[in-house]
Amino acid sequence: MGKIDIAIYCLLGLSLIFGLIKGVKKNSKLLIFVFSVLIAIYGGIPLGKWISTLPICTEQLNNVFVNIIGDEDLMHLPLSGLNSTEINKLLVEGFKEIHFPSFLIGVFVSRVQMFHGNVAQAISSSFVYMIVVASSVLLIFILSLIVLNIIFSSLKKSVLLVDEQGKSTGFGRLIGMIKSFAFTSLFIYVIMFATVLISQLMMKNNNYALQNFLVDDLKLLSDNHFSIGKLFYDYSVVFLNWINLKI
């Protein structure tokens, strides 16, 4: 177990103890929001990825974007037989051809799903993927808000969370533990997000010190090694892959 894993387990353990002691108050709006965000991220993203592989997305919806993109010669160039560097270069030029905002090109290039067709089809697959995943995350977030608001509204009317003396019940302390765990998880994710961002920026300047530490400590090159730090790292990289691309 690496140093990062130990630190994360300690933080999560302390958060559970703190939540148990503190319990939960009847004001749960922030708690509901945090829960909804976590559910949207960990539920909406996998759901969106799965939906984006369905024929309605890979065929019908993708063709809609192909027709919208335009008919420039560059868009008809095939990607088959090219290496990753050549493909990335063509895709970047393709996004520039349609006057796509330059600061977002890297994000969308990293989300291309179709590499066996031409440039237009590849770019379209990226648009479909991003829209479907974003829609899934938003839908799960809204549904979570509605459901959790209904649940907590019912709990507020009872003495399940707080007894008549205003003290947290056993169930209230359990919810407090979950609340503290969720907030701490979100805090760890923000820290990991910032760490990965710094590492990526350092690598652009040929400084691999921080990235080498992350690779060694989290065992990033080992597919069979579970690491809770690696789990947070992977979700951070999802939003930061584009920084590696030199556009």
Side-chain angles (χ1 to χ4, degrees):
M1 186 182 298
K3 297 176 182 177
I4 295 177
D5 282 346
I6 293 174
I8 291 176
Y9 280 123
C10 288
L11 286 173
L12 293 177
L14 289 172
S15 72
L16 291 174
I17 295 173
F18 178 78
L20 176 64
I21 295 173
K22 187 176 180 180
V24 66
K25 304 299 181 183
K26 288 192 174 183
N27 186 5
S28 54
K29 290 184 178 179
L30 185 57
L31 174 62
I32 291 173
F33 178 81
V34 172
F35 277 179
S36 298
V37 169
L38 292 175
I39 293 172
I41 291 175
Y42 290 101
I45 292 178
L47 175 63
K49 287 181 177 180
W50 175 73
I51 294 175
S52 68
T53 63
L54 299 179
I56 191 173
C57 294
T58 59
E59 297 174 10
Q60 288 91 336
L61 193 55
N62 200 71
N63 289 334
V64 170
F65 279 96
V66 168
N67 295 329
I68 295 174
I69 285 175
D71 201 36
E72 290 81 1
D73 292 338
L74 174 64
M75 296 299 173
H76 294 286
L77 294 178
L79 298 178
S80 57
L82 302 178
N83 59 43
S84 59
T85 301
E86 293 170 330
I87 290 175
N88 280 341
K89 184 177 179 181
L90 267 181
L91 292 175
V92 169
E93 291 301 319
F95 276 102
K96 289 180 178 178
E97 188 74 25
I98 61 176
H99 306 291
F100 198 69
S102 59
F103 69 95
L104 287 175
I105 290 178
V107 180
F108 280 78
V109 168
S110 67
R111 299 274 72 88
V112 167
Q113 306 297 302
M114 185 181 295
F115 294 97
H116 58 270
N118 55 33
V119 174
Q121 291 171 324
I123 291 176
S124 298
S125 72
S126 177
F127 285 137
V128 171
Y129 176 88
M130 294 293 278
I131 290 174
V132 170
V133 170
S135 300
S136 298
V137 170
L138 181 60
L139 176 62
I140 296 297
F141 175 72
I142 293 174
L143 289 176
S144 298
L145 278 180
I146 294 173
V147 172
L148 290 177
N149 266 299
I150 293 174
I151 293 174
F152 275 88
S153 293
S154 300
L155 291 176
K156 286 178 183 178
K157 297 176 182 178
S158 67
V159 293
L160 286 175
L161 293 179
V162 181
D163 60 25
E164 295 176 353
Q165 285 74 40
K167 296 181 179 180
S168 292
T169 62
F171 184 69
R173 294 186 185 280
L174 175 62
I175 296 298
M177 291 173 65
I178 297 174
K179 173 185 176 181
S180 182
F181 187 88
F183 275 89
T184 303
S185 297
L186 192 59
F187 171 76
I188 293 172
Y189 175 76
V190 171
I191 296 299
M192 183 62 76
F193 185 92
T195 302
V196 175
L197 174 59
I198 294 171
S199 175
Q200 301 281 22
L201 293 174
M202 287 173 63
M203 286 194 293
K204 288 193 68 176
N205 293 305
N206 297 316
N207 186 339
Y208 292 84
L210 180 56
Q211 184 62 22
N212 289 338
F213 168 75
L214 292 173
V215 170
D216 293 337
D217 195 73
L218 299 176
K219 304 295 188 295
L220 297 180
L221 301 181
S222 175
D223 294 331
N224 299 322
H225 177 77
F226 173 78
S227 164
I228 191 170
K230 184 178 179 181
L231 183 65
F232 282 98
Y233 176 90
D234 288 340
Y235 272 91
S236 298
V237 170
V238 166
F239 299 99
L240 293 171
N241 282 341
W242 59 277
I243 295 178
N244 283 326
L245 298 173
K246 300 181 186 295
I247 299 172

